[in-house]
DNA sequence: CTGAAAGCGCTAACAA
DNA sequence: TTGTTAGCGCTTTCAG
């Protein structure tokens, strides 16, 4: 008989009822103690905590969410994870989350390329209380459903047309304007521009900033110097190769829409036998960590990536708490970081 | 009366019962259809699917896991996300996961530094069916509990002493040996070594490989050339600065335990006015994407990071399916990738 | 081949 | 201050 209850092999999970029994209270009381409900007698609380301790009880999350309607989980949708642009933003997200009780589900959009509906389902399944979308993604594929399901979401570094989206971005236009301006002031007149993926607004804004600065500097915009990229290093490399071969006279400066593209450009330039910045100035956008570690150190427009992540989390949690909050858009200031990849040239060159 | 049911504002979620009612069957039947149970009459199945479609029904994940005991979620625990070492592994994880029905929860160990217990709870809460741990982490803090809870886990790029751990790693010893050997063959005799964080076995293995190669090359091991690092770029930078100042005669080559440290070393060397590889050869470990984009391109020991991620997922899913599987350890081959950061020197130099 | 019914572990009124 | 009682939405016997 006695060996019945001593069987330790029962790997059954400890439930709230076990704790309740052990503490001689009802499960409701245990629940109250665990959710830090105020009106529980000190002694009862102690008894419960002791039992929790002793049994090694850990609440079951799905049961809790099912009953309460809150999962305390947010989703993070990213195109991929192989560059530190995303990584840095995520760092910020993470920091902010440390102050909260939320955890994060990771969704990568390339896991099911073209299967946006898969994700839409995943978001709608109730697991996730809100969503952080980091650019560059094709938001249109998700956003309608998200709105229909009334799931709060924040777009990071990419605006969309709908008024109802929350977005955290940087002052892309201004950043690009200022950077281009800087290049002009260094005497450059043949400034090529490698765009980002033009499916997102931020890429368009950067392009517009570039154009505006040229116009203000009385430099004609030459379409053959504006090439469509996609934020990938490899593409930056290929574009630059082509640019250097086919445009005559060649540009004296290249402004890339993100640092990764700029790295690609540097590489192509070097392969073409051009010294940076002596033969060619290169300027990036983002200021990811490697920007200060490549050689020469990359002059770039800093986006406050970490801060963007933090702000996004803050906004999202607010929206989750109070669904009636009006949508917000915040644009954080960019800053030109002058390092070693651009040099002054004689205008007559 | 009629306006009662036309009220479209009821933002209540569509449940399985709604579908059942709409299709004129029981919820059990809907469940069967959705879980692709074989023995459902064709016509019934169609009716159900039609209703699912029409109502836009998406199953609630927590309810499903609660009832079934399976969440179809695995956890990914990483130290951080700001470098592409983790990113590349994650890429592999992701690819493999694309074939499965599992999603991933992301836990970063620096979110709650020192609060390992927080994570242990998070893992034990039933949300996660298994765990992928990417180095460098302090596994001891988790593993006991994981084992006690019988949660399957895989250590990536870090072994631990316990026989019972599943691990996916690379041939660290051999990789380091071969690389050091290469440096010797280039004529180097003063080869400094920047270790990784010695809390993980892989870092120790690399150190041992380095030492063994020196010994085999009849080169004495000089302790002042072996400096303890931690896999961070910044640390690699600081160590190299010190190394170049304080050791006389200075090393002619530096072998860093990971690429990030190697980048730091390159930077310090350059600041000290040394040309790479002319004045100093530098060799890394990992072959993260940037390795081929820094200047000069980094010679390094390639770890099959993506593959490691894929294999880890495969192993984990197997373990989840069948908890009784014996623990496995697989070591994937490394490969020396010779690029431009090392050069032959005259032994008399 | 399908339905009824009993939970999974927890929360949240409602009583007491 | 605490217990009782319904569920949350789904899966899974067990009958039929």
């Amino acid at each position: 008989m006695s060996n019945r209850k001593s069987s330790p092999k029962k790997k059954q999970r400890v439930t709230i009822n076990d704790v309740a029994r052990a503490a001689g209270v009802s499960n409701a009381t245990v629940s109250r103690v665990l959710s830090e409900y105020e009106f529980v007698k000190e002694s009862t609380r102690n008894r419960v905590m002791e039992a929790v301790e002793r049994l090694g009880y850990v609440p079951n999350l799905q049961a809790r969410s099912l009953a309460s309607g809150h999962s305390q989980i947010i989703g993070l949708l990213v195109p991929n994870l192989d560059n530190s642009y995303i990584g840095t933003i995520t760092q910020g997200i993470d920091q902010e989350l440390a102050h909260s009780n939320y955890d994060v589900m990771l969704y990568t959009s390339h896991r099911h390329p073209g299967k946006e509906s898969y994700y839409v389902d995943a978001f709608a399944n109730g697991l996730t209380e809100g969503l952080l979308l980091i650019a560059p993604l094709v938001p249109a594929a998700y956003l309608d459903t998200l709105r229909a399901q009334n799931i709060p979401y924040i777009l990071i570094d990419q605006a969309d047309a709908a008024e109802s989206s929350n977005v955290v971005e940087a002052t892309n236009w201004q950043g690009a304007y200022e950077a281009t301006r800087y290049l002009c002031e260094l005497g450059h007149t043949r400034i090529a521009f490698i765009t980002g993926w033009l499916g997102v607004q931020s890429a368009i804004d950067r392009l517009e900033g570039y154009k505006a600065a040229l116009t203000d500097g009385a430099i004609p915009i030459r379409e053959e110097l504006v090439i469509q990229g996609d934020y990938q290093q490899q593409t930056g490399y290929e574009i630059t190769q082509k640019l250097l071969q086919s445009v005559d006279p060649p540009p004296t400066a290249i402004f890339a829409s993100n640092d990764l593209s700029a790295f690609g450009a540097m590489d192509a330039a070097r392969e073409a036998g051009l010294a940076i910045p002596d033969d060619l100035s290169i300027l990036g956008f983002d200021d990811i960590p490697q920007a200060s570690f490549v050689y020469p150190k990359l002059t770039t427009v800093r986006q406050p990536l970490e801060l963007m992540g933090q702000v996004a989390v803050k906004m999202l949690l607010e929206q989750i708490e109070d669904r009636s909050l009006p949508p917000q858009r915040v644009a954080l200031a960019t800053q030109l970081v002058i390092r070693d990849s651009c040099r002054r040239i004689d205008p007559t060159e």
Side-chain angles (χ1 to χ4, degrees), chain A:
Chain A
M1 274 299 97
S2 69
N3 65 350
R4 258 272 257 27
K5 58 184 352 163
S6 69
S7 161
K9 208 54 213 155
K10 206 80 165 66
K11 68 150 213 163
Q12 197 52 57
R13 143 187 289 289
V14 180
T15 78
I16 199 173
N17 296 305
D18 299 327
V19 176
R21 207 170 311 123
V25 297
S26 73
N27 56 0
T29 298
V30 177
S31 178
R32 290 196 186 95
V33 171
L34 263 37
S35 53
E36 286 165 14
Y37 180 66
E38 200 172 356
F39 304 109
V40 180
K41 208 195 299 169
E42 185 66 19
S43 66
T44 311
R45 179 187 309 280
N46 292 149
R47 217 146 19 98
V48 170
M49 290 311 278
E50 187 273 335
V52 165
E53 232 29 62
R54 184 155 50 80
L55 272 50
Y57 168 69
V58 178
N60 178 305
L61 236 45
Q62 16 254 314
R64 178 180 288 195
S65 340
L66 188 57
S68 71
H70 299 297
S71 66
Q72 302 281 105
I73 293 175
I74 66 172
L76 175 62
L77 178 61
V78 301
N80 53 56
L81 282 166
D82 60 358
N83 67 263
S84 37
Y85 160 76
I86 305 276
T88 308
I89 294 178
T90 308
Q91 209 84 319
I93 291 174
D94 219 54
Q95 277 169 27
E96 193 60 34
L97 244 28
H99 311 319
S100 76
N101 291 314
Y102 284 78
D103 275 323
V104 5
M105 286 281 315
L106 180 66
Y107 301 102
T108 61
S109 65
H110 79 266
R111 185 142 84 223
H112 297 274
K115 296 270 298 169
E116 280 79 12
S117 66
Y118 172 90
Y119 281 106
V120 166
D121 282 5
F123 305 149
N125 68 13
L127 218 202
T128 254
E129 295 195 58
L131 230 46
L132 258 17
L133 313 188
I134 302 185
L137 298 162
V138 33
Y142 310 99
L143 300 194
D144 287 342
T145 311
L146 255 26
R147 275 190 289 264
Q149 308 264 163
N150 194 26
I151 298 177
Y153 65 90
I154 314 282
L155 299 175
I156 300 180
D157 199 13
Q158 71 180 82
D160 89 319
E163 291 298 321
S164 53
S165 290
N166 296 284
V167 357
V168 175
E169 58 183 344
T171 53
N172 291 298
W173 189 94
Q174 290 83 343
Y177 182 90
E178 198 182 334
T180 310
R181 191 74 196 222
Y182 167 70
L183 254 14
C184 294
E185 281 162 5
L186 289 182
H188 294 275
T189 55
R190 299 197 304 278
I191 304 171
F193 186 78
I194 300 176
T195 77
W197 179 58
L198 294 175
V200 294
Q201 187 60 37
S202 54
I204 298 174
D205 291 345
R206 289 172 203 174
L207 175 57
E208 294 303 329
Y210 157 82
K211 287 184 175 171
L214 287 191
T215 304
D216 287 1
I219 298 173
I221 294 163
R222 292 167 49 193
E223 287 304 337
E224 71 270 28
L225 289 183
V226 177
I227 309 198
Q228 179 151 357
D230 61 2
Y231 286 135
Q232 311 270 0
Q233 183 158 340
Q234 180 65 25
T235 310
Y237 172 82
E238 290 162 8
I239 286 176
T240 304
Q241 272 191 326
K242 238 172 281 173
L243 206 51
L244 296 177
Q245 287 168 1
S246 65
V247 179
D248 189 55
T252 59
I254 296 181
F255 179 15
S257 281
N258 71 340
D259 287 348
L260 246 31
S261 301
F263 296 156
M266 288 173 87
D267 217 55
R270 223 140 28 205
E271 275 196 21
L274 299 178
I276 301 167
D278 294 332
D279 302 321
L280 182 66
S281 289
I282 292 186
L283 201 155
F285 206 111
D286 282 349
D287 195 26
I288 59 177
Q290 295 107 278
S292 45
F293 282 110
V294 291
Y295 181 77
K297 291 183 166 63
L298 185 68
T299 291
T300 188
V301 178
R302 169 175 302 159
Q303 293 207 75
L305 296 174
E306 248 182 69
L307 183 60
M308 286 163 69
Q310 296 179 307
V311 170
V313 168
K314 245 180 254 176
M315 279 173 54
L316 183 59
L317 297 189
E318 281 174 20
Q319 298 274 342
I320 290 174
E321 303 292 307
D322 180 1
R323 307 296 185 100
S324 66
L325 249 35
Q328 294 181 54
R329 308 202 158 217
V330 347
L332 302 170
T334 53
Q335 179 197 354
L336 181 63
V337 179
I338 297 176
R339 288 199 272 252
D340 311 330
S341 65
C342 299
R343 88 176 240 279
R344 171 172 303 284
I345 67 166
D346 182 337
T348 63
E349 271 187 63

